[in-house]
Amino acid sequence: MSATRQESPREPDAASGPRRVTVAGEAGVRPVSPQWSEAVADAEPAAGLRLARELGREAPLPGAGRTAELWSTLASLAADDVGVARMVEPHLDALAVLAQASEAGIAVDLSAVDADADSTWGVFAADGPGARLSAATDDAGAWTLTGLKPWCSLAADLSHALVTAWTDDGRRLFAVDLRDARVRAEPGPWVPRGLSQVVSAPVHMDAVPAAPVGAPGWYLERPGFAWGGIGVAACWWGGAVGVARSMAQVLSAREPDQIALAHVGVVDAELHAARVVLADAAVSVDASDPAEAAVTARRARAVVARAAQNVLDRTERALGPGPMTTDERYARRCADLRLYLRQHHAERDDASHGRHLLAAGPAPW
């Protein structure tokens, strides 16, 4: 079940609709497809997932030489509608995981879970207190999943998911068919003011057939895990660009005072710095250096998260309460981005970054 919006369908506004944003050079600049326009105007899961399928057929994979183009596509989509980007990004990430498994010589029997080219994918890898999903094999060696998995975004709307579950040897990744009668997606609790249509709630599984994807630990240990995290950061950056465009549109229609002009200058600098970091990360990812993947991801996510948060704060201070209370699109864009940014764990992620830097030896600066 997805949350239903009360407002009427929207058309992309002049400030953000047809314009693409790029991580590096002209990467990701492409015509707006009918599916893209439909998803942004509708912003509900059905339209967003149709777009995810379309983009999944053409979007480049991370680490294959066109990573900047991939992230530019995600950022451009988030600049139009953060919620739609939040629907598309996990689908593209799941396809990347499956491609990386294939490149590593890992056989994944997707026919065992009735997956095909029209499947829509989520990635459910979070754990939580009181929730545990366990994997077991029967006498014939077939895997099944039983238990509770928290934070399963759009589980009631997707056809399939890549899910981490606990085995005797540790956490392992599995592909599952979410349409199976033994899967029960909860409708909530889900009461946010942002991303209301991207319901992220628990899923119950009772001996659900599953196809293993890699050995225990493979999902977290591969460089692609870090690369996927930077793809999320590209969405944050694109969402911040959309917020900044709204600010520029409002201020261009009136005579801004010196304080508003200062906010515009800081927002531009923040967005530029974050873009440069993403462009540098794309070069690093395409170089496919496993030793650099984790530190590159932690740096990029930290810089982009701070920039996006600062853009939100500066824009609100520049514009005051008016747009937050009278402009539905702007208010929703800000609420969506604020919630999406909480995928970055703020000081906890900073502490993790510092711990790894010191453990690696001499400081890199």
Side-chain angles (χ1 to χ4, degrees):
M1 179 183 297
S2 63
T4 301
R5 292 191 175 189
Q6 300 301 314
E7 61 270 7
S8 59
R10 305 162 302 157
E11 293 298 329
D13 59 28
S16 63
R19 298 167 59 194
R20 304 275 68 81
V21 293
T22 63
V23 166
E26 293 300 307
V29 177
R30 66 181 68 197
V32 179
S33 71
Q35 288 85 353
W36 188 310
S37 299
E38 175 194 3
V40 170
D42 188 329
E44 291 297 330
L49 294 177
R50 282 194 294 272
L51 176 61
R53 276 196 297 265
E54 177 197 357
L55 292 177
R57 295 185 178 102
E58 63 182 52
L61 295 168
R66 295 164 58 199
T67 300
E69 180 180 340
L70 169 65
W71 293 347
S72 295
T73 297
L74 290 171
S76 296
L77 187 54
D80 281 353
D81 191 295
V82 176
V84 176
R86 179 65 181 83
M87 300 174 200
V88 170
E89 185 278 327
H91 176 78
L92 299 186
D93 186 41
L95 296 182
V97 173
L98 293 172
Q100 289 156 15
S102 178
E103 292 169 1
I106 297 170
V108 182
D109 184 11
L110 292 180
S111 65
V113 293
D114 294 323
D116 57 28
D118 289 325
S119 297
T120 53
W121 291 89
V123 180
F124 306 153
D127 287 321
R132 186 178 178 88
L133 186 65
S134 299
T137 55
D138 60 20
D139 293 339
W143 287 93
T144 59
L145 305 185
T146 298
L148 180 66
K149 194 68 174 173
W151 300 107
C152 298
S153 299
L154 296 177
D157 300 285
L158 297 163
S159 66
H160 291 80
L162 297 180
V163 184
T164 56
W166 290 96
T167 72
D168 292 340
D169 298 317
R171 275 203 295 177
R172 190 169 182 177
L173 189 67
F174 296 87
V176 297
D177 185 348
L178 296 174
R179 303 163 299 181
D180 192 289
R182 290 158 287 190
V183 175
R184 179 166 60 88
E186 295 283 356
W190 187 247
V191 296
R193 298 304 178 260
L195 298 177
S196 59
Q197 74 278 38
V198 188
V199 176
S200 298
V203 167
H204 301 265
M205 299 190 188
D206 184 11
V208 177
V213 182
W218 174 81
Y219 170 72
L220 295 174
E221 293 166 0
R222 67 198 166 85
F225 178 77
W227 300 346
I230 311 176
V232 172
C235 294
W236 299 339
W237 178 68
V241 169
V243 171
R245 286 175 174 174
S246 295
M247 177 180 68
Q249 186 179 34
V250 172
L251 294 180
S252 295
R254 70 190 194 206
E255 184 64 33
D257 61 17
Q258 193 169 16
I259 299 302
L261 292 173
H263 289 314
V264 172
V266 172
V267 163
D268 173 74
E270 291 279 13
L271 290 175
H272 178 74
R275 186 195 65 78
V276 170
V277 168
L278 286 170
D280 181 71
V283 172
S284 177
V285 168
D286 284 334
S288 297
D289 184 351
E292 291 294 318
V295 69
T296 296
R298 288 193 294 268
R299 284 173 178 159
R301 286 170 62 89
V303 169
V304 174
R306 284 189 179 85
Q309 187 66 57
N310 206 7
V311 169
L312 283 166
D313 294 342
R314 291 276 182 168
T315 300
E316 289 177 2
R317 285 147 61 187
L319 300 184
M324 297 173 64
T325 57
T326 61
D327 184 338
E328 184 277 332
R329 179 161 191 169
Y330 169 78
R332 182 171 292 279
R333 175 178 279 144
C334 291
D336 287 350
L337 181 56
R338 284 191 181 279
L339 182 56
Y340 202 177
L341 281 171
R342 295 283 56 80
Q343 285 194 8
H344 181 66
H345 300 118
E347 288 80 8
R348 290 179 176 83
D349 281 353
D350 290 340
S352 175
H353 183 41
R355 182 182 304 110
H356 283 87
L357 286 175
L358 293 182
W365 11 264

